[in-house]
Amino acid sequence: MGDSSTTVQEVRNRMFLEGFITEDNASNVFDQTITNGIAAYGTSKNHDFENMITPSLIEMLNVPVESRIKTISVNMERCRWISAKINSAQEYIAVNIPSFRLLYYREGKPFLVSKVVVGKEFHKTIVFSGSMSYLAFSPYWNVPASILRKEILPKIKKNPNYLENQNMEWHEGHVRQKPGGSNALGYVKFMFPNSHNIYLHDSPSKSFFNKDKRAFSHGCVRVEKARELALAIMAKDANWSSKKVDQAMHLGKENTYVLQDKIPVYIAYFTAWADGSGNVAFYDDLYKRDNALAKVLFEN
């Protein structure tokens, strides 16, 4: 605040032209007006620029219009891949990988929005749809064979006490991590059985949710507001109070709840996303998929 630069003047003019501030006084001083404009711009684009002129803000403002049109076209094509049932669904959960966000819809409107962590480059989260059928509270984490072979066994070889230190144990020829605060799945997982072995879950590693780009998992989706999502889902059952949910999450042994009505889940990949007010947000092409699809659409 109070700093001056020709960049401030240019950003101020851009905020005015796009309607995020009502007056352009051509000042090159960073003041409250431009702060408010950047905040409004960030909100409309589903990005947090911390109310400052940041490199990411400049990068976004400098993307050519032609490139945005191309991105929108690519994502309109992706819309055709989503089941038409989503238009009439009263309830569903949508995870958009590039935006690192989960949206829980009820009656056509977002009921809960949460940050998520998705799969890293070499462990991409799969795009698919499923039906959430049950919740597992205070879950075990059954270590996948690939992680056991590549990561856990070498650590056991170096340190014979590794499993005990990680609250893990051998069980029927496999390794699993026992329930508790250090469990990799946190206190609850949301299951929609599928051949990819992908599911939503809580996480003890909360610091990852503070990062702008959140691709750190082995493919599953970590949910920042896992407790809130569990409470929202369980609130439909009059027999379950928030206290009962918390008790189930901290029981110390895995216990499951089968949903009376399955909830559709869509794991999607949209680098352009429009909200109910018509605002369009753009996101980095995390897995570098836009150009390949654009070639199919525009070069044939």
Side-chain angles (χ1 to χ4, degrees):
M1 194 68 71
D3 286 347
S4 60
S5 168
T6 54
T7 301
V8 174
Q9 186 177 2
E10 292 171 352
V11 171
R12 185 190 303 277
N13 179 251
R14 182 66 174 272
M15 293 296 106
F16 171 71
L17 291 174
E18 293 204 24
F20 295 104
I21 60 176
T22 58
E23 181 182 0
D24 178 12
N25 61 10
S27 171
N28 66 356
V29 177
F30 192 91
D31 55 19
Q32 192 61 49
T33 297
I34 196 169
T35 298
N36 295 341
I38 293 171
Y41 179 83
T43 298
S44 75
K45 306 301 181 186
N46 275 336
H47 285 272
D48 182 9
F49 300 110
E50 300 177 345
N51 299 345
M52 297 188 295
I53 298 178
T54 63
S56 59
L57 172 64
I58 298 299
E59 182 180 2
M60 181 171 288
L61 292 173
N62 282 338
V63 175
V65 172
E66 293 80 2
S67 178
R68 293 303 195 199
I69 293 172
K70 181 178 176 181
T71 299
I72 290 173
S73 298
V74 165
N75 284 276
M76 288 175 68
E77 173 64 20
R78 289 188 176 120
C79 286
R80 300 198 312 121
W81 307 347
I82 302 293
S83 170
K85 294 180 180 178
I86 198 171
N87 295 317
S88 58
Q90 292 299 300
E91 178 184 35
Y92 63 91
I93 290 172
V95 173
N96 185 30
I97 296 170
S99 68
F100 309 107
R101 285 175 184 259
L102 173 150
L103 298 97
Y104 177 29
Y105 284 87
R106 281 189 184 171
E107 298 179 359
K109 298 179 180 179
F111 185 81
L112 182 147
V113 180
S114 175
K115 295 178 181 178
V116 299
V117 169
V118 300
K120 61 185 75 171
E121 176 65 24
F122 294 108
H123 300 281
K124 296 180 178 68
T125 298
I126 303 296
V127 173
F128 73 105
S129 61
S131 296
M132 185 182 298
S133 56
Y134 71 95
L135 277 62
F137 296 108
S138 200
Y140 281 101
W141 176 43
N142 297 298
V143 179
S146 60
I147 297 178
L148 175 62
R149 183 179 66 257
K150 296 178 182 179
E151 301 179 28
I152 304 298
L153 290 180
K155 292 177 180 178
I156 293 174
K157 189 174 181 179
K158 290 182 179 180
N159 177 11
N161 297 319
Y162 178 80
L163 291 184
E164 182 180 355
N165 294 341
Q166 298 298 318
N167 200 31
M168 292 179 171
E169 63 183 6
W170 285 99
H171 178 73
E172 298 180 354
H174 301 279
V175 169
R176 67 181 184 180
Q177 189 174 39
K178 292 180 279 188
S182 62
N183 186 283
L185 306 184
Y187 292 109
V188 60
K189 63 179 179 178
F190 307 84
M191 301 300 294
F192 41 106
N194 58 84
S195 60
H196 310 291
N197 198 27
I198 298 293
Y199 47 87
L200 312 176
H201 65 86
D202 186 21
S203 172
S205 304
K206 303 300 183 184
S207 61
F208 286 121
F209 295 113
N210 296 325
K211 299 181 181 296
D212 290 334
K213 297 183 179 180
R214 298 185 290 275
F216 301 103
S217 81
H218 284 82
C220 286
V221 179
R222 306 175 193 170
V223 183
E224 181 182 36
K225 296 182 180 179
R227 176 180 178 272
E228 290 88 338
L229 180 59
L231 289 173
I233 292 173
M234 299 304 294
K236 296 184 294 179
D237 188 332
N239 295 318
W240 280 75
S241 63
S242 59
K243 181 179 179 180
K244 187 174 180 179
V245 172
D246 284 331
Q247 288 175 339
M249 290 175 67
H250 295 83
L251 192 61
K253 62 180 181 179
E254 184 166 305
N255 56 111
T256 61
Y257 175 87
V258 178
L259 298 177
Q260 297 177 11
D261 298 306
K262 294 182 180 180
I263 302 174
V265 178
Y266 298 91
I267 310 294
Y269 192 93
F270 287 99
T271 51
W273 182 285
D275 65 19
S277 299
N279 298 310
V280 181
F282 296 93
Y283 303 103
D284 290 342
D285 186 9
L286 181 64
Y287 297 155
K288 310 303 180 190
R289 293 176 174 172
D290 280 6
N291 285 339
L293 181 54
K295 285 183 178 180
V296 173
L297 293 176
F298 306 125
E299 296 182 11
N300 289 337

